[in-house]
Amino acid sequence: MGISIWQLLIVLVIVLLLFGAKKLRGLGGDLGNAVKGFREAMQDQKQGDDETAEKLDQPAGKRVIEGEVTSKEKDRAQS
């Protein structure tokens, strides 16, 4: 008891009549551009992580956080 092809076609015709083909085409284009931008941003982030790892001579995905150890942290580490 799933949705048949005829039911999908009827829904498509109703949506087309309500919004119009031009508006739906514009909406599809905007959605496509958003997905493309998201993918590019993810690739740029990954490339940035890889370049940082190369500079630090570490495998990609591993990060080193440099900082200063305070006396309280030293006491905790010794306990």
Side-chain angles (χ1 to χ4, degrees), residues 31-48:
L31 182 62
N33 288 335
V35 170
K36 183 179 177 182
F38 178 75
R39 286 182 181 168
E40 288 174 357
M42 293 298 291
Q43 287 177 348
D44 290 344
Q45 177 66 34
K46 185 177 180 196
Q47 288 175 353

Side-chain angles (χ1 to χ4, degrees), residues 17-68:
L17 289 173
L18 287 175
F19 295 106
K22 188 174 182 178
K23 195 173 217 179
L24 288 176
R25 189 178 313 126
L27 182 65
D30 291 342
L31 182 62
N33 288 335
V35 170
K36 183 179 177 182
F38 178 75
R39 286 182 181 168
E40 288 174 357
M42 293 298 291
Q43 287 177 348
D44 290 344
Q45 177 66 34
K46 185 177 180 196
Q47 288 175 353
D49 287 347
D50 291 345
E51 289 173 4
T52 303
E54 287 175 6
K55 288 179 185 176
L56 296 174
D57 293 329
Q58 295 181 351
K62 304 236 178 174
R63 296 183 183 178
V64 174
I65 301 174
E66 295 183 21
E68 189 174 306

